[in-house]
Amino acid sequence: MNTIHISHWDLDGFGCQMVIGNYLYDTYKNFYHNKINCGYSKIYLKLQELDDILSTTNVDVVYITDLLFETNDFNKLIMIINHYIDVDFVFIDHHEYHDERLEGLQSLKVARCLVLHNEKMSATKICLKYVTKKLSYNALESTHTFVDRIDAYDIHLIDTHHYKMGFVYNSLFWEYGLYKFNQKYFFNHELEQNDRNVYKKIVKNKNDYYKDKEKKAHIMKSKNKEIVIGYVDDFISFFSQEYADYSIHIIITNHQKLSFRVMMHYDDEQCKSIKHTIMQEVEPFCDSNGGHLRAYGANLKEGVDTMSLVETIVETIGDLIDTY
């Protein structure tokens, strides 16, 4: 069994490859699981790389997981699917698709490709359901637990124990890097004492970082504890935890690229309403956007005035909160 697996370069993307890889390891005596990871902006380049590999290598299955496609990505993948008729394709994702993206997803469904899409769980969780239910794989209990932790963190189930553990794994993922994390947790999913010590050091450095941000007035808080805004480039995942008393967290960051993120702690209906309205109002500022119900964001166009962006978001949120 020869497979190629393209996935997102984050904890959820790793989780997808971990689940599929464990299934292949336990099911096939001889197999090859070629893992490729990337960010959303590199999807098209990785699809070109996939095309090159398929033109010279016999491949049985191509898995694509946890990647938010644009229209040109869908068109490229459909072209590849139509060209390599002896290869099976599986597309698994949980991001929200609207307008042209939704049309692309629908086009992929009618192509010769298995599409599994569910916005209510992480891509890792979808992968586990795929191999256990459709492929009758008996995954270990430790794998189920690991997946629950990744799932809770990725879709922001902040009031659960699994979220707290998933948060630790996510911090270690970015501390260790994809390749070291892959070596440590691909088959053995338990934390070691050294990992716990590393996490303690991360937390200490985070505390120092946020104290400095507070002193420099890079953190702004509403008096009613509804909204907190931070200009942060490091320890970004800690922001919502650091200010857990607030309902809406807004981050402006220039980490890799100028962008903003919004995280909300409301019920589904209110989250949907707020998210839809915010994204409409900030569209002129944005280059691309995506995410989930409670955690989403966008890359910003060059030259954007971030203060104008923040004022737009705050005014929009203020008006929406007053209606509830």
Side-chain angles (χ1 to χ4, degrees):
M1 172 66 72
N2 194 6
T3 69
I4 297 175
H5 192 159
I6 306 176
S7 197
H8 194 200
W9 194 303
D10 71 348
L11 182 64
D12 193 26
F14 157 82
C16 295
Q17 292 176 328
M18 179 272 296
V19 168
I20 299 296
N22 277 256
Y23 157 73
L24 293 171
Y25 181 83
D26 291 336
T27 305
Y28 296 95
K29 187 174 182 180
N30 296 306
F31 76 95
Y32 180 62
H33 188 211
N34 183 3
K35 300 186 292 296
I36 300 171
N37 297 80
C38 66
Y40 302 141
S41 64
K42 303 293 184 182
I43 293 174
Y44 194 87
L45 292 176
K46 295 304 177 183
L47 290 176
Q48 290 179 316
E49 184 179 325
L50 171 66
D51 196 358
D52 292 339
I53 295 172
L54 292 177
S55 68
T56 59
T57 308
N58 291 325
V59 174
D60 298 294
V61 185
V62 171
Y63 301 98
I64 297 174
T65 56
D66 193 36
L67 288 170
L68 180 60
F69 270 40
E70 301 286 355
T71 300
N72 62 330
D73 301 323
F74 279 118
N75 292 338
K76 178 65 176 178
L77 180 56
I78 290 172
M79 184 194 74
I80 291 172
I81 291 171
N82 291 335
H83 185 75
Y84 300 100
I85 60 175
D86 294 328
V87 181
D88 292 328
F89 291 83
V90 180
F91 183 92
I92 296 175
D93 194 28
H94 68 133
H95 292 96
E96 295 181 343
Y97 287 83
H98 303 287
D99 304 324
E100 292 182 355
R101 280 177 174 163
L102 182 58
E103 292 178 8
L105 186 66
Q106 297 297 339
S107 299
L108 192 61
K109 287 181 178 179
V110 299
R112 194 181 45 80
C113 178
L114 174 63
V115 177
L116 301 174
H117 178 247
N118 189 330
E119 295 175 2
K120 295 184 178 181
M121 63 184 70
S122 65
T124 299
K125 191 88 166 184
I126 302 172
C127 286
L128 185 63
K129 287 184 175 292
Y130 166 62
V131 297
T132 55
K133 296 184 180 298
K134 189 172 181 63
L135 303 180
S136 302
Y137 173 55
N138 186 22
L140 295 173
E141 186 63 32
S142 61
T143 301
H144 281 274
T145 301
F146 194 28
V147 169
D148 285 340
R149 291 170 175 176
I150 295 173
D151 179 69
Y153 175 78
D154 197 68
I155 63 173
H156 224 55
L157 303 177
I158 63 172
D159 295 324
T160 66
H161 176 68
H162 285 316
Y163 174 85
K164 295 173 183 176
M165 291 303 300
F167 192 97
V168 174
Y169 281 106
N170 182 70
S171 300
L172 292 173
F173 176 89
W174 294 110
E175 178 69 19
Y176 290 151
L178 172 63
Y179 299 112
K180 181 177 179 179
F181 192 87
N182 190 72
Q183 290 176 332
K184 289 179 71 68
Y185 299 115
F186 199 82
F187 293 111
N188 177 23
H189 314 316
E190 297 302 319
L191 293 175
E192 298 175 353
Q193 185 56 49
N194 183 62
D195 300 320
R196 299 177 190 276
N197 293 338
V198 170
Y199 181 70
K200 288 179 181 178
K201 291 180 181 178
I202 295 172
V203 172
K204 181 184 181 304
N205 292 335
K206 176 268 300 181
N207 290 338
D208 294 340
Y209 180 81
Y210 276 102
K211 284 180 183 177
D212 183 62
K213 284 293 177 181
E214 292 272 2
K215 288 180 181 178
K216 293 178 178 177
H218 290 174
I219 309 294
M220 296 167 284
K221 311 166 191 173
S222 64
K223 292 181 180 180
N224 61 2
K225 287 204 169 184
E226 283 287 352
I227 307 169
V228 57
I229 302 167
Y231 288 82
V232 295
D233 295 329
D234 293 311
F235 302 101
I236 294 171
S237 62
F238 282 89
F239 189 76
S240 59
Q241 186 184 76
E242 191 73 7
Y243 302 99
D245 291 342
Y246 292 79
S247 299
I248 300 179
H249 302 87
I250 302 169
I251 298 173
I252 307 296
T253 178
N254 202 18
H255 178 70
Q256 296 182 337
K257 190 171 184 179
L258 186 62
S259 63
F260 81 92
R261 304 181 188 187
V262 179
M263 290 154 284
M264 298 182 292
H265 302 160
Y266 293 120
D267 60 46
D268 287 1
E269 181 180 348
Q270 194 169 357
C271 283
K272 286 180 182 178
S273 175
I274 292 175
K275 177 180 179 180
H276 176 73
T277 306
I278 286 177
M279 296 313 294
Q280 278 189 321
E281 293 296 323
V282 302
E283 186 176 0
F285 298 92
C286 299
D287 187 23
S288 61
N289 66 81
H292 321 302
L293 180 61
R294 286 179 172 78
Y296 56 93
N299 290 328
L300 301 176
K301 296 176 180 176
E302 289 188 16
V304 161
D305 180 3
T306 56
M307 282 306 301
S308 296
L309 170 70
V310 169
E311 289 172 2
T312 299
I313 295 175
V314 171
E315 288 176 5
T316 302
I317 292 174
D319 291 341
L320 289 170
I321 290 174
D322 289 341
T323 66
Y324 282 89

